[in-house]
Amino acid sequence: MPQTDLAALLADVDAEIRVLESSLGDGAEPPPGVVVDAAQALTRRMIAGYLCAATDKTVPATDDLLALWKVLVKGDPTWNTIRDNCRELVYYRNCLDSGRADALPARPARMAVRTLRHLHLFIKSRCEREGRL
């Protein structure tokens, strides 16, 4: 992945999160699988973008969110802070894939978007603190 403009990346992700948030406000939520997949994809974009812009680590070519997170946290345990949020998104997808929607929270799409928003705010504030934005 080429060098990343973190400010532009985070602004793009924020805009996509706003679209997801607005889709939840009209009473007819999109299918949880669609929202979970979008949340995972946006989280992968943010982590990969940070890795490219702020580290010399190689970004693996994978769709596995937790594998990507492991690259991020290796050598920098402060990133353990977002582990449970990443795991939550993976858990939602695993429940859906195994036909266990009953194991999800009452409003899984809403929870996935809130988790994604939390990840975005954490990564953005970290980049601000590090002087990357």
Side-chain angles (χ1 to χ4, degrees):
M1 187 175 222
Q3 186 69 15
T4 301
D5 177 355
L6 283 173
L9 172 89
L10 292 169
D12 289 346
V13 169
D14 179 59
E16 292 187 49
I17 294 171
R18 288 177 193 275
V19 170
L20 287 171
E21 289 169 334
S22 69
S23 75
L24 300 172
D26 61 10
E29 290 187 7
V34 171
V35 177
V36 169
D37 290 345
Q40 281 197 26
L42 291 169
T43 301
R44 286 192 305 269
R45 276 181 53 198
M46 288 187 291
I47 292 174
Y50 182 87
L51 287 169
C52 287
T55 74
D56 58 358
K57 297 175 183 178
T58 301
V59 178
T62 182
D63 285 337
D64 184 341
L65 176 57
L66 295 179
L68 190 58
W69 170 81
K70 285 178 186 177
V71 173
L72 180 65
V73 78
K74 186 172 180 133
D76 188 354
T78 61
W79 284 105
N80 276 314
T81 304
I82 64 169
R83 179 189 67 195
D84 287 342
N85 297 112
C86 294
R87 289 177 69 188
E88 182 178 352
L89 294 175
V90 170
Y91 172 77
Y92 289 1
R93 172 44 54 206
N94 289 343
C95 287
L96 293 167
D97 288 347
S98 64
R100 290 294 317 269
D102 61 308
L104 293 171
R107 311 241 349 235
R110 185 172 299 276
M111 291 303 296
V113 172
R114 286 185 176 157
T115 299
L116 173 61
R117 174 58 74 192
H118 172 79
L119 287 161
H120 176 265
L121 291 172
F122 180 86
I123 293 170
K124 182 178 179 183
S125 65
R126 172 141 179 174
C127 289
E128 288 171 347
R129 209 172 49 250
E130 293 174 349
R132 298 185 190 285
L133 299 181

